Amino acid sequence: MAKRIDVKDLNIYYGKFHAVSDVSLTVLPRSVTAFIGPSGCGKSTVLRALNRMHEVTPSARVEGAVLLDGEDIYGATIDPVGVRRTIGMVFQRPNPFPTMSIRDNVVAGLKLQGVRGKKELEEVAERSLRGANLWNEVKDRLDKPGGGLSGGQQQRLCIARAIAISPDVLLMDEPCSALDPISTLAIEDLISELKKEFTIVIVTHNMQQAARVSDQTAFFNLEAQGKPGKLIEIDETEKIFSNPSQKSTEDYISGRFG
Ligand SMILES: Nc1ncnc2c1ncn2[C@@H]1O[C@H](COP(=O)(O)OP(=O)(O)OP(=O)(O)O)[C@@H](O)[C@H]1O
Ligand SMILES: [Mg+2]
């Protein structure tokens, strides 16, 4: 549970395009790290490289190392499917299987892993839905389709699905961007709960959200269009939002650009 991530000299390319240059950072166990920065600076690209999700994009290529508790997830003997089991991901738009029941949505990953026992699947579904703070809202309609939930409920359903396979790390790419303010606060509360158990990295365009939920914040920026995105600085969230080391960070968080 809750492992440390060390990213070393990460360079990411899409074909010949150098999207992200020389990113190194550390994420401590049981903490929340926020990635902020203007559109196109490579936040999602770096996030996807943390669980090898970029490998579903044929042109994408990663150089450098991502260590999970000292072991390189890009190591020759490492299975990417296993990596994604250890490092789960929640996407920007809730993407439950719409016609599948709420319960089956939660345990879909476990079923793929070959878990068949009805009792075990029911237990994991309940535990995960409780963990995602959705249980009370859906416990009487577990056999109804996941597509029938509200947007905020669907996003929590996707979080339940992600935690059902007991990952160590949860990656979230703008998980609240499709949600109303109340659902957003529900997810933020949930993130604060989840960090007791998981290591969390979240991409957000919402500065208040980064300030509210994260322990450390990484600011990424682009020098110019066509140039690779860079990590400008990473520090305790309080420091980034009160007294950042770099002028471009200050300009960004105070809304002078981006
Ligand atoms: N599949 C892809 N193929 C080619 N180029 C890509 C691909 N995905 C991203 N890029 C490019 O890589 C750069 C970084 O994109 P990325 O999506 O990581 O930015 P981002 O910081 O997440 O932006 P946003 O805030 O808009 O989500 C951009 O120039 C983008 O156009
Ligand atoms: Mg993005």
Side-chain angles (χ1 to χ4, degrees):
M1 280 292 159
K3 292 185 178 173
R4 175 190 169 108
I5 306 169
D6 284 304
V7 175
K8 293 187 174 161
D9 303 320
L10 204 61
N11 280 276
I12 310 174
Y13 303 81
Y14 294 104
K16 289 203 172 85
F17 176 57
H18 191 181
V20 177
S21 161
D22 292 328
V23 172
S24 295
L25 56 88
T26 297
V27 175
L28 294 178
R30 297 191 170 85
S31 71
V32 179
T33 298
F35 286 0
I36 62 168
S39 184
C41 66
K43 304 176 297 296
S44 298
T45 297
V46 172
L47 194 76
R48 287 195 295 264
L50 300 185
N51 76 344
R52 298 180 59 164
M53 197 58 99
H54 70 281
E55 288 173 8
V56 303
T57 306
S59 70
R61 183 164 59 83
V62 165
E63 287 172 3
V66 177
L67 308 182
L68 188 64
D69 268 2
E71 184 169 39
D72 190 359
I73 66 166
Y74 287 95
T77 58
I78 305 286
D79 167 20
V81 176
V83 168
R84 290 177 207 135
R85 211 145 48 210
T86 314
I87 307 178
M89 191 143 182
V90 175
F91 297 89
Q92 184 168 5
R93 301 230 157 239
N95 57 348
F97 306 110
T99 56
M100 191 185 274
S101 74
I102 291 169
R103 183 193 288 110
D104 283 349
N105 259 285
V106 177
V107 296
L110 280 184
K111 282 187 160 176
L112 272 179
Q113 287 174 29
V115 178
R116 289 283 173 267
K118 191 161 178 267
K119 188 146 178 288
E120 184 182 352
L121 291 172
E122 281 178 1
E123 278 170 10
V124 174
E126 176 170 346
R127 186 171 359 111
S128 308
L129 286 165
R130 284 188 189 280
N133 207 6
L134 185 59
W135 174 252
N136 286 333
E137 287 157 72
V138 301
K139 61 175 191 276
D140 300 322
R141 53 198 277 210
L142 293 172
D143 296 315
K144 297 277 184 320
L149 298 174
S150 75
Q153 289 172 331
Q154 288 188 19
Q155 193 57 298
R156 279 178 285 150
L157 179 63
C158 292
I159 292 171
R161 185 173 67 187
I163 62 181
I165 55 170
S166 304
D168 295 313
V169 178
L170 266 186
L171 308 176
M172 300 181 161
D173 196 349
E174 299 190 54
C176 302
S177 64
L179 304 183
D180 63 82
I182 292 181
S183 303
T184 295
L185 286 180
I187 301 279
E188 288 182 10
D189 285 346
L190 177 56
I191 290 171
S192 303
E193 270 305 303
L194 292 173
K195 85 165 186 185
K196 293 177 187 160
E197 209 177 332
F198 302 99
T199 305
I200 297 172
V201 184
I202 177 172
V203 175
T204 178
H205 275 282
N206 180 331
M207 297 297 132
Q208 288 78 22
Q209 178 164 78
R212 280 192 298 261
V213 303
S214 71
D215 301 293
Q216 66 169 354
T217 296
F219 172 60
F220 294 81
N221 202 6
L222 273 177
E223 276 162 21
Q225 284 306 324
K227 292 262 184 147
K230 285 195 168 136
L231 173 62
I232 303 301
E233 63 179 309
I234 179 165
D235 212 326
E236 286 176 17
T237 296
E238 215 179 294
K239 171 115 180 4
I240 292 283
F241 284 96
S242 62
N243 184 22
S245 309
Q246 302 296 319
K247 181 164 183 310
S248 58
T249 312
E250 182 158 1
D251 287 348
Y252 185 74
I253 59 164
S254 58
R256 278 195 276 274
F257 75 89

